[in-house]
Amino acid sequence: TFILVFARWPVVWTGVPHTVMLYVQPCCLMFLVLAMVGQLAIPTWFLFALHVGSFFATALVCHGELARDRPAARYLTEFYLWMSVGGVLGGMFNALIAPLAFSIGVIEYPLAMALACVLRPSLVGNKPLVQGDSDDTHKTPVGVMLTIILPAALGLFAYLGAWYSQDRYLKDVLPFIGANYFLRPFLLALPIVAVLGLASRPLRFGLGLACVFLGVGLFDRTGEDRVYESRGFFGFVKVRHAVVTYDEGLTRYTYNVLIHGGIDHGRQNLHFRRRPISYFHPTGGIGQLFTKFSWPDQRLPASLVGLGNVPYGVLAGVHSEPPYAVVGLGTGTLAAYARPYQHVVFYEIDPQIKALSLPKDGGKPIFSYLQDALDREANLEVVLGDGRLSLQKAPDKYFHILALDAFSSDAIPVHLLTQEALDLYLSKVADGGAIIFNTTNRYVEIRPVLADLANSRGLEWAYFGDYGTDEEGNVVPEKFSSDWLVMRRRGPAGNGGPPLAERLPGWREYHAPGRRPWSDSYSNLLGALVW
C-alpha cells in the first residue's frame, strides 16, 4: 500500500483511486462487522480474504492521506524522517508495549482499525443528513449527542446480535411467535446500515467500529468462569472452568481448560486429576504409543525391580524406564504416562505456560499433571526455550519417544517441520524409538508435509485419526478428536518387526504426495492451508 500511494504509474494514486478507496473501505469493514456480529461459520479462505482485504483497504486509505498531505520538495527529508520514526514507534508498541498493556487479549488489531477510521477525511461537507447535525465547520449539541449515542447503540446491538446468533436465550425469552424471524435480520442488518451511515464522519465511524469490536468481545467473555488469564510475548493464555455432564446428566465433572488464542489445548478433570484425557486419551494416538508400543530398550526398568528392601543405589544402577521427551508443554497431560524414576523432559518456550503447572512461588498449580508425576518419583524436568534449539543439548540417541506437540494458538511453528529439524530429532531418538507429531488442526493439513519429510529420510510412518471414539467406534467420554502421525527408522535401526501400521491398532498407512519437502530455506504454508 505504501508503494501504491506514492507511485506515479500507471496512475497518480492520490487522485481518483484514493477517492474510490474512501468508499471501498467502509464496504470492506461492513462485511467484516457482519461476519463478527453474526458469528458466521464461513470458509477459511473467505475469512482470510475478508480480514486481509479490510486491512489492505484501511492501510491504503491511511497511506493515501499521508501521500496526499506530503509537503513541498524542500521538506521531504524531514517528512520521510518522521514517517520512519512513526514506523519504529509502531513496531515497538506492537512488540513491547501491547503484550503488557493489553493483558485481556490481542486487541491492537481492532484498535488500529478503529483509530484508522478516525483519521479518515470527512465526507459530509456543509450539508449534514440530519437537521441540526454538525458539519465540517462547527459542532452542534445534536451532533455531539449523535456521536455518543450512535456508536454506543451499535455496540449494544453488536453484543445482542452475537448473542442471538449463538441461539442463546432470546428466542425462549421473547413472548411472541415470529420474533425470531423479525429480530435476526434486524440485528444483523443494523451494523450494515450503521457502518455505511457513519462512514462519512471519521470520529463516529471510528467510535462505531470500536464499539462493535467491544460488543463482540464482551459477548465472547460472557458466561465464562475464568481461573486465569495472562498475555505474554507468545500470545494470550486463559484457563477457565468447564462443567460437563455424562450419562444423561447422572455424572458431573469439573475441568480446568487451557485456551491459547482461541483454541482449546487440553484440560484436566479436577475429580480424577491423574487421568490423561482430551487429545491425550489412552485410546487415542499418543495414548496408544505409550500404552501399546513396546519400549525398545534392553535395560532393566526400575519400576520392575520394586522398592521393598532394594537399596536406592541398586535402582540407580539398573536405570529407570526408557526416557521420553515432549516439545510443547500445554497442560502437561503427557506427564500422566511417566513412571517412577523415568526421565521425562518437556521443552516449552512460554514461561507463563510453565507457571500453570509449576508456579514460581511453589504454590498450588492450576494443572497438576507435572506435580503428580514428581510426587510418584518421576525424574521430570521442564526446559524453557525454543524446542529445536534446546533439544540440540540433549544426549544423542537418548529418547525412545519424542512427541512434537508445539502450538501457538492453532499454528504449528514451521521451523519444527523441516528436514533439518527431522535430522535433529533422529539424532536424539534411540534406535527403535519413535517420533510422533500432533497433526490435529482445523486450518492446516500437516500430514502430507510430514509424510514427504519421512519419505525424504527413508523412514516408515503411520497415521492415526479418530473422532473421540474407541476401536469399536463407540463414543468415549473425555476423549477429543485427534490426529497423530508417527515415524521411525526402517530396518535394523528400527529393531525390525512388523510395520507401524500393523503394530498399533487403528493406525494406517498414509500416502506421501511427493511434493518438495520443507526445509529451513523452503516451506509452502499456503499449500498446506485447508481452504
Side-chain angles (χ1 to χ4, degrees):
T1 59
F2 189 84
I3 294 172
L4 283 175
V5 299
F6 283 97
R8 287 285 182 263
W9 183 91
V11 294
V12 178
W13 187 270
T14 51
V16 175
H18 180 64
T19 303
V20 171
M21 288 308 303
L22 290 177
Y23 292 93
V24 171
Q25 183 213 10
C27 297
C28 295
L29 293 176
M30 174 192 70
F31 288 110
L32 180 61
V33 166
L34 181 62
M36 294 181 61
V37 173
Q39 303 282 304
L40 303 179
I42 58 181
T44 302
W45 66 267
F46 186 80
L47 186 64
F48 181 85
L50 187 59
H51 278 280
V52 173
S54 299
F55 189 76
F56 182 79
T58 301
L60 267 178
V61 169
C62 292
H63 288 158
E65 285 296 305
L66 194 66
R68 192 168 66 170
D69 198 41
R70 66 185 182 275
R74 60 176 178 167
Y75 299 111
L76 285 181
T77 300
E78 182 181 358
F79 173 73
Y80 288 117
L81 173 63
W82 282 113
M83 205 159 49
S84 300
V85 170
V88 172
L89 293 177
M92 291 176 61
F93 178 85
N94 285 335
L96 303 176
I97 299 177
L100 299 177
F102 305 137
S103 59
I104 64 171
V106 183
I107 65 174
E108 54 266 31
Y109 167 61
L111 179 63
M113 298 286 277
L115 291 177
C117 293
V118 175
L119 298 177
R120 286 170 49 90
S122 175
L123 302 178
V124 175
N126 296 322
K127 296 180 179 180
L129 297 176
V130 179
Q131 186 69 28
D133 196 358
S134 304
D135 56 30
D136 287 349
T137 58
H138 67 282
K139 296 181 180 179
T140 65
V142 174
V144 174
M145 291 181 60
L146 290 176
T147 301
I148 298 174
I149 294 174
L150 288 179
L154 188 61
L156 175 62
F157 277 92
Y159 177 87
L160 294 176
W163 188 29
Y164 188 78
S165 297
Q166 288 293 311
D167 287 329
R168 299 210 175 184
Y169 316 104
L170 277 181
K171 64 181 181 181
D172 298 323
V173 173
L174 292 173
F176 50 89
I177 299 175
N180 296 333
Y181 302 98
F182 170 75
L183 272 181
R184 186 178 183 88
F186 176 70
L187 289 174
L188 297 184
L190 186 66
I192 301 176
V193 177
V195 167
L196 294 180
L198 297 176
S200 59
R201 298 179 179 274
L203 181 58
R204 292 182 192 173
F205 192 25
L207 289 176
L209 192 64
C211 287
V212 169
F213 287 128
L214 180 62
V216 176
L218 289 176
F219 166 77
D220 288 339
R221 297 175 66 87
T222 299
E224 284 194 354
D225 184 6
R226 300 198 178 199
V227 179
Y228 171 91
E229 64 179 10
S230 176
R231 182 181 173 186
F233 183 80
F234 300 100
F236 178 60
V237 174
K238 66 180 178 181
V239 180
R240 64 179 179 87
H241 272 315
V243 179
V244 182
T245 57
Y246 302 97
D247 302 328
E248 299 181 353
L250 298 178
T251 305
R252 181 185 178 96
Y253 291 145
T254 303
Y255 301 87
N256 278 343
V257 182
L258 174 63
I259 307 293
H260 193 280
I263 305 300
D264 184 335
H265 280 278
R267 56 186 58 195
Q268 183 175 26
N269 188 325
L270 300 184
H271 305 272
F272 300 95
R273 304 184 71 94
R274 296 190 178 186
R275 178 189 296 172
I277 58 175
S278 67
Y279 309 102
F280 315 100
H281 196 275
T283 63
I286 188 70
Q288 286 191 32
L289 197 66
F290 275 100
T291 58
K292 299 182 180 180
F293 190 77
S294 59
W295 293 99
D297 190 65
Q298 302 303 319
R299 298 173 299 179
L300 181 62
S303 61
L304 297 182
V305 174
L307 296 180
N309 296 321
V310 180
Y312 284 101
V314 175
L315 291 179
V318 297
H319 302 289
S320 70
E321 303 285 353
Y324 68 89
V326 182
V327 178
L329 175 61
T331 59
T333 310
L334 290 180
Y337 294 100
R339 306 170 187 177
Y341 308 105
Q342 187 173 22
H343 188 201
V344 181
V345 183
F346 285 89
Y347 296 96
E348 174 57 49
I349 196 172
D350 194 345
Q352 61 182 346
I353 295 294
K354 178 183 177 182
L356 297 177
S357 295
L358 297 175
K360 295 180 181 179
D361 58 3
K364 183 179 179 180
I366 294 178
F367 298 102
S368 65
Y369 285 114
L370 266 63
Q371 188 59 55
D372 292 338
L374 291 171
D375 291 343
R376 60 178 180 269
E377 305 297 334
N379 181 12
L380 186 145
E381 61 177 312
V382 178
V383 178
L384 276 178
D386 178 82
R388 180 170 163 183
L389 296 177
S390 301
L391 193 59
Q392 293 177 354
K393 303 175 184 179
D396 290 341
K397 293 192 174 183
Y398 181 68
F399 300 112
H400 290 264
I401 290 181
L402 175 59
L404 279 298
D405 187 39
F407 288 87
S408 176
S409 185
D410 210 30
I412 302 175
V414 173
H415 75 292
L416 299 179
L417 304 173
T418 65
Q419 289 178 310
E420 293 81 358
L422 182 57
D423 290 338
L424 173 65
Y425 306 152
L426 290 172
S427 69
K428 304 303 178 182
V429 173
D431 291 341
I435 307 170
I436 185 168
F437 295 82
N438 187 353
T439 61
T440 309
N441 202 290
R442 294 185 297 179
Y443 304 113
V444 183
E445 181 57 85
I446 296 298
R447 285 173 293 172
V449 176
L450 293 175
D452 284 328
L453 280 176
N455 193 43
S456 70
R457 292 300 185 259
L459 308 177
E460 64 168 329
W461 68 93
Y463 161 74
F464 178 89
D466 67 5
Y467 296 94
T469 58
D470 58 16
E471 298 175 11
E472 287 75 31
N474 301 315
V475 176
V476 179
E478 301 188 325
K479 181 181 180 182
F480 285 5
S481 300
S482 62
D483 300 297
W484 300 85
L485 189 141
V486 63
M487 57 182 73
R488 69 167 187 171
R489 298 179 180 89
R490 297 181 187 271
N495 281 0
L500 284 170
E502 296 181 10
R503 297 183 62 187
L504 299 170
W507 292 72
R508 56 185 182 272
E509 297 180 353
Y510 186 84
H511 176 69
R515 289 180 254 180
R516 180 180 176 183
W518 288 11
S519 65
D520 288 348
S521 59
Y522 168 81
S523 61
N524 181 14
L525 189 58
L526 290 178
L529 285 175
V530 180
W531 297 101

